[in-house]
Amino acid sequence: MARILITSAIPYINGIKHLGNLVGSQLPADLFARYQRGRGNEVMFLCATDEHGTPAELAAAKAGKPVADYCAEMHEVQADIARRFGLSFDHFGRSSSPQNHALTQHFAGQLAEHGLIREVVEQQMYSRADGRFLPDRYIEGTCPNCGFESARGDQCDNCTKQLDPTDLINPHSTISGSTDLELRETKHLYLRQSAMKDKLEAWIDSKTDWPVLTTSIAKKWLNDGDGLQDRGITRDLDWGIPVKKGAEDWPGMEGKVFYVWFDAPIEYIACAKEWADAKGLDDSAWQRWWRTDKGADDVRYVEFMGKDNVPFHTLGFPATLMGSGEPWKLVDYIKSFNYLNYDGGQFSTSRGRGVFMDQALEILPADYWRWWLLSHAPESSDAEFTWDNFQVSVNKDLADVLGNFVSRITKFCRSKFGEAVPEGGAYGSQEEALLADLTARVRAYEGCMEAMEVRKASQELRAIWVAGNEYLQSAAPWSTFKTDPETAAMQVRLGLNLIRLYAVLSAPFIPFTSARLAEAMGIPDLGWPDDVAAALTALPAGHGFSVPDVLFAKISDEDREDWQSRFAGIRS
């Protein structure tokens, strides 16, 4: 049994996430976690809310709530929506947890001890109108790299370049809109990433199996322009993890907090400790996943994220772990995604554009969305959500292929043999050909899932559904029954066992539907079909079942037009 550690990029606390966020990290991570569990492997799947930094402060101010109260409330909202989307986290933590405070301060102390932190007196933008410094998202302006007019003080959303507030052209305060800004002196800590460049580059070069998207972004940051730069890891903010050197105060850093991108990845580790503490387990329970001296040397660690998060996970976080001088588990594979756009524009939480997770669930069950998003995952390039495409995919793949198969075979069996698996008949050449085809397709599906090729995996799964439909159409038990009821019984028995096979194979993509199929078919064992032929005899003659309700309702043109109008892209 393999041990797989899976983390999804942790979503900002500032509001409910949109479908682009979901397909860029959490949903494919869940797909992989469910698949690995289905194969009998030990999985630890972790995620959390990212609660520090300017997005949290700005969102709380907009909501008129203290930031701690806002974060606690939104964590529960996000956790609830995640559950309703079937995201099977082993723990959904909080970056504001005491565990993350302690670990972040510990890492800072270790890095300082190893000479990898330097103190810098620098000039930062100060807003006279607001009476405060303007770090990160408190300031916007034009990106000096690509000319995008709404670049933020920490990063340009358009070209992904990391920025400092002083880099922006024509900057203004996002609090008041004021352009009455001046440079003032302040002191901050910087992580000496430049000192780690050679080590990081050798490590990235060793990852020959990583997606090109991941390595190309990492190497761009390592080598473009002046190469890898040191990165500020503290901010002049009220909300966050207080700057400490381990458990000790850090002279000159009073009133400052760690930068959100320093503490957020550390929450992956803290989340495991939160999980252990919540279950009353000792530290060895989480350390066996994260420390190679405590049992994590045989763990395979996979991270899922959107491409805008790649620099922090290929450079900043590994530099923190390596630089600590302690035996922490480094990531083995980073699965990164391009962007999902919405109807000709971009999704954006902060700008309120697109279909959001709560809205999606108000109009259709989670599996409709899970299937479309995963089967259109933006792996090799950006993808686009359109209502036309969504309607076609749901109606053809889910309703016409899978739903139709289940409905036809169960209803026919009920009408001719009753609600139990019929006995009689033996396989012929048609059934043997189907078994050979399905065996090859299941192995191909497994290969795609192991390789985290999400779109290809969905195509293989759909092909497995189609194979059942084509067999049913060709075998035509409704015709066979008239002259050879025993052979028809065998065909129906095989068809009912195909439903069990589909329930198992489809569970990573559409878990709620899979559970409905398992319940209707009275399936006690959802073991993986290592032997496809054996799996297709799992439901013996006499095994009772019930005809499930319609699995997937088709989307009408009227519904599609209504939703297209209602979700025109702006959320107030």
Side-chain angles (χ1 to χ4, degrees):
M1 182 169 66
R3 297 174 61 219
I4 318 287
L5 173 63
I6 301 168
T7 59
S8 162
I10 67 176
Y12 274 141
I13 198 74
N14 63 332
I16 293 165
K17 302 298 105 178
H18 55 65
L19 298 182
N21 296 131
L22 180 62
V23 75
S25 55
Q26 292 177 316
L27 189 53
D30 179 70
L31 178 79
F32 189 61
R34 285 179 178 276
Y35 169 75
Q36 291 295 345
R37 291 191 197 107
R39 298 305 305 271
N41 294 321
E42 186 182 5
V43 170
M44 177 60 72
F45 178 24
L46 302 171
C47 192
T49 39
D50 185 0
E51 302 187 10
H52 295 136
T54 55
E57 289 195 4
L58 288 168
K62 186 177 178 183
K65 296 178 180 178
V67 66
D69 293 352
Y70 174 81
C71 288
E73 180 184 307
M74 286 308 302
H75 173 80
E76 288 307 313
V77 169
Q78 289 200 24
D80 174 63
I81 294 174
R83 279 190 292 272
R84 290 192 281 136
F85 257 101
L87 303 180
S88 59
F89 306 127
D90 288 289
H91 191 74
F92 187 60
R94 302 182 61 187
S95 70
S96 62
S97 68
Q99 292 88 340
N100 198 37
H101 277 237
L103 263 173
T104 298
Q105 291 163 343
H106 166 80
F107 275 110
Q110 288 296 117
L111 291 164
E113 193 176 301
H114 287 83
L116 291 171
I117 288 183
R118 60 188 178 95
E119 295 185 8
V120 176
V121 176
E122 61 186 8
Q123 303 282 309
Q124 283 283 352
M125 284 292 188
Y126 186 90
S127 167
R128 282 193 284 260
D130 302 308
R132 61 173 296 163
F133 285 102
L134 299 177
D136 307 325
R137 296 185 179 209
Y138 279 109
I139 187 169
E140 286 188 0
T142 301
C143 175
N145 185 53
C146 72
F148 182 59
E149 292 184 356
S150 297
R152 292 159 174 149
D154 56 348
Q155 186 174 18
C156 174
D157 284 346
N158 187 54
C159 70
T160 78
K161 185 170 180 62
Q162 290 183 13
L163 300 168
D164 286 313
T166 51
D167 296 333
L168 296 172
I169 301 164
N170 300 324
H172 63 269
S173 163
T174 58
I175 304 168
S176 61
S178 174
T179 57
D180 185 13
L181 313 179
E182 66 180 17
L183 288 171
R184 287 195 183 180
E185 198 172 85
T186 184
K187 185 196 282 187
H188 283 292
L189 302 179
Y190 273 66
L191 175 61
R192 295 183 59 225
Q193 293 182 148
S194 58
M196 300 281 292
K197 179 182 182 294
D198 292 345
K199 196 170 184 179
L200 287 166
E201 191 159 26
W203 174 68
I204 290 165
D205 284 342
S206 75
K207 303 299 182 183
T208 53
D209 62 331
W210 281 11
V212 172
L213 179 64
T214 301
T215 51
S216 63
I217 291 172
K219 289 182 178 182
K220 178 183 172 187
W221 287 91
L222 277 167
N223 300 308
D224 272 14
D226 297 326
L228 185 61
Q229 299 297 298
D230 295 346
R231 188 73 174 150
I233 60 167
T234 54
R235 291 292 188 267
D236 291 298
L237 293 171
D238 298 323
W239 172 248
I241 298 177
V243 176
K244 287 194 169 188
K245 193 180 292 185
E248 300 173 10
D249 290 336
W250 202 310
M253 290 292 118
E254 298 82 5
K256 297 181 191 290
V257 299
F258 284 109
Y259 176 41
V260 60
W261 263 113
F262 182 68
D263 83 73
I266 295 170
E267 168 57 19
Y268 294 144
I269 305 172
C271 187
K273 179 162 171 53
E274 292 172 47
W275 163 82
D277 290 351
K279 291 188 172 293
L281 304 172
D282 62 24
D283 282 347
S284 66
W286 68 267
Q287 288 173 342
R288 67 188 285 270
W289 290 100
W290 278 108
R291 291 200 46 130
T292 56
D293 60 337
K294 301 287 178 70
D297 49 332
D298 67 343
V299 168
R300 185 176 188 224
Y301 176 25
V302 182
E303 294 175 349
F304 288 79
M305 71 198 65
K307 62 185 176 184
D308 53 331
N309 288 349
V310 168
F312 304 105
H313 289 80
T314 54
L315 304 170
F317 186 38
T320 297
L321 298 181
M322 292 177 187
S324 73
E326 297 173 325
W328 295 101
K329 174 66 186 173
L330 289 167
V331 67
D332 293 299
Y333 192 86
I334 295 179
K335 175 68 175 180
S336 55
F337 291 84
N338 288 284
Y339 293 140
L340 177 69
N341 295 320
Y342 178 76
D343 240 356
Q346 285 189 336
F347 279 98
S348 172
T349 300
S350 56
R351 291 177 172 82
R353 189 172 199 284
V355 181
F356 290 71
M357 289 171 68
D358 59 335
Q359 296 171 325
L361 292 177
E362 285 169 11
I363 60 172
L364 286 170
D367 281 354
Y368 291 66
W369 301 103
R370 287 179 64 107
W371 174 254
W372 189 91
L373 290 166
L374 290 167
S375 62
H376 293 77
E379 292 176 292
S380 57
S381 62
D382 288 354
E384 182 161 9
F385 177 89
T386 68
W387 288 102
D388 288 348
N389 186 299
F390 181 64
Q391 178 191 26
V392 168
S393 184
V394 165
N395 290 356
K396 287 194 172 179
D397 298 349
L398 299 180
D400 287 347
V401 180
L402 179 60
N404 183 51
F405 175 84
V406 172
S407 177
R408 288 170 82 191
I409 194 67
T410 53
K411 287 179 179 176
F412 177 72
C413 184
R414 180 174 63 185
S415 71
K416 301 300 183 186
F417 300 101
E419 290 191 324
V421 177
E423 63 180 340
Y427 285 172
S429 59
Q430 195 171 10
E431 287 72 35
E432 295 296 346
L434 175 66
L435 288 184
D437 180 42
L438 286 174
T439 298
R441 290 198 178 281
V442 169
R443 299 291 91 89
Y445 175 62
E446 292 166 353
C448 293
M449 292 290 266
E450 290 290 350
M452 288 163 270
E453 294 180 321
V454 178
R455 277 197 187 205
K456 285 184 181 177
S458 74
Q459 291 161 8
E460 290 294 343
L461 179 59
R462 187 185 187 280
I464 291 167
W465 298 341
V466 167
N469 262 301
E470 290 178 345
Y471 167 75
L472 201 60
Q473 196 65 26
S474 174
W478 40 87
S479 298
T480 311
F481 183 79
K482 296 170 186 174
T483 57
D484 188 353
E486 282 226 338
T487 296
M490 174 275 295
Q491 293 167 343
V492 170
R493 188 168 63 251
L494 178 55
L496 294 173
N497 272 283
L498 278 170
I499 295 178
R500 181 195 172 277
L501 180 74
Y502 294 168
V504 175
L505 296 177
S506 306
F509 280 89
I510 46 174
F512 298 102
T513 305
S514 175
R516 284 177 61 197
L517 291 176
E519 183 180 6
M521 300 308 294
I523 301 170
D525 169 33
L526 285 172
W528 194 263
D530 295 316
D531 181 336
V532 173
L536 289 175
T537 60
L539 302 182
H543 178 91
F545 70 91
S546 58
V547 176
D549 293 333
V550 174
L551 293 183
F552 299 99
K554 285 196 172 188
I555 296 172
S556 68
D557 290 346
E558 292 75 22
D559 279 340
R560 186 203 71 222
E561 289 164 6
D562 173 47
W563 296 335
Q564 198 158 7
S565 168
R566 198 172 3 145
F567 301 102
I570 299 297
R571 178 184 179 127
S572 58

